[in-house]
Amino acid sequence: MKKIIFVFLTMLVLGLAGCGSSDNPPPQPFIAQILSDNTLDGDIARTVGGGTTIITQGTSTDVQSFLAGFNPVNGDEFRAFLQFPLRDIGGVPRNAVIASATLDFVIIDIQPNPLSESIPLRIDLVELQPATLVADDFNQDLQPALATMTISPPISRVDIGPPSILIDVTPLMVKAQQLGLPRFQVRILRDPGTTTPGLIKINDTTGSNRATLAPLLEVSYSF
């Protein structure tokens, strides 16, 4: 008899909980889709031994893509930087609670081609002050990561697009929101400790198809 009463009470509680949830449905999330700022996106290249640093920032008719990884020809290392304005109209309010965030971009070339191995990459959340790139931004000691994550699975030849690749960057966006950062700024680099060659070229076109081919940050949030 006790078992029957217990089952009945359990069903009653669950039924009441279900009624309550229908009267007070959870808030619907908001979605922000933010294209990167093509005037601030860029990459930094450093020659073998660190003798020369070359900074490329802002897209023009000649440069509408940025690089990350090791050049298989000469061993130069490239680190790409993407910057997304968070507080503009259509962005993410400062008091929002982050549910999820994804970063997607189109890889238009991979070297060497054909690629025999995968390319292990990381994404660092950084705070670039100023937003204009300087040589120190390349260095993880001089420009430390506020948070970091590995792109999983590693980049392979099947990732050449379109379509874009989609990366879950929720932990990085949560950290950016906690710190109140005005921009979501990321550094894309070869996973430290690996030196095998492999270089990706990220599409950052300024053409009429930018809305579908340029780097995009999508954030789901609520209040």
Side-chain angles (χ1 to χ4, degrees), residues 121-185:
L121 295 175
R122 295 193 69 81
I123 302 181
D124 291 343
L125 174 69
V126 292
E127 185 178 10
L128 304 178
Q129 295 181 334
T132 303
L133 295 177
V134 297
D136 287 351
D137 295 333
F138 182 95
N139 192 302
Q140 290 175 288
D141 293 323
L142 300 177
Q143 181 59 263
L146 304 174
T148 187
M149 57 173 289
T150 301
I151 296 179
S152 181
I155 301 298
S156 67
R157 58 186 177 184
V158 302
D159 292 315
I160 296 178
S164 61
I165 64 169
L166 192 65
I167 305 165
D168 184 349
V169 293
T170 303
L172 303 188
M173 183 60 212
V174 168
K175 186 67 173 181
Q177 188 74 342
Q178 290 173 346
L179 296 174
L181 301 181
R183 298 184 183 91
F184 183 78
Q185 300 168 314

Side-chain angles (χ1 to χ4, degrees), residues 22-155:
S22 63
D23 294 337
N24 300 288
Q28 294 297 310
F30 296 88
I31 303 294
Q33 292 185 322
I34 308 168
L35 285 172
S36 66
D37 187 337
N38 62 288
T39 66
L40 297 176
D41 295 342
D43 62 39
I44 301 177
R46 182 162 293 181
T47 58
V48 177
T52 304
T53 299
I54 300 173
I55 298 174
T56 303
Q57 186 172 29
T59 51
S60 66
T61 55
D62 297 323
V63 181
Q64 296 200 12
S65 60
F66 298 107
L67 303 171
F70 283 102
N71 187 325
V73 176
N74 57 20
D76 291 353
E77 183 179 0
F78 288 79
R79 296 182 177 180
F81 294 80
L82 302 176
Q83 305 195 40
F84 302 84
L86 291 179
R87 310 306 174 199
D88 292 351
I89 295 175
V92 180
R94 178 64 188 91
N95 60 337
V97 178
I98 305 302
S100 64
T102 56
L103 170 64
D104 72 82
F105 52 79
V106 175
I107 297 175
I108 55 178
D109 190 26
I110 294 179
Q111 295 296 328
N113 190 2
L115 180 70
S116 59
E117 300 181 35
S118 59
I119 305 175
L121 295 175
R122 295 193 69 81
I123 302 181
D124 291 343
L125 174 69
V126 292
E127 185 178 10
L128 304 178
Q129 295 181 334
T132 303
L133 295 177
V134 297
D136 287 351
D137 295 333
F138 182 95
N139 192 302
Q140 290 175 288
D141 293 323
L142 300 177
Q143 181 59 263
L146 304 174
T148 187
M149 57 173 289
T150 301
I151 296 179
S152 181
I155 301 298

Side-chain angles (χ1 to χ4, degrees), residues 171-207:
L172 303 188
M173 183 60 212
V174 168
K175 186 67 173 181
Q177 188 74 342
Q178 290 173 346
L179 296 174
L181 301 181
R183 298 184 183 91
F184 183 78
Q185 300 168 314
V186 293
R187 174 175 56 202
I188 303 173
L189 66 157
R190 186 68 183 232
D191 205 359
T194 62
T195 57
T196 54
L199 190 68
I200 67 169
K201 179 182 288 188
I202 300 171
N203 195 338
D204 207 342
T205 178
T206 59

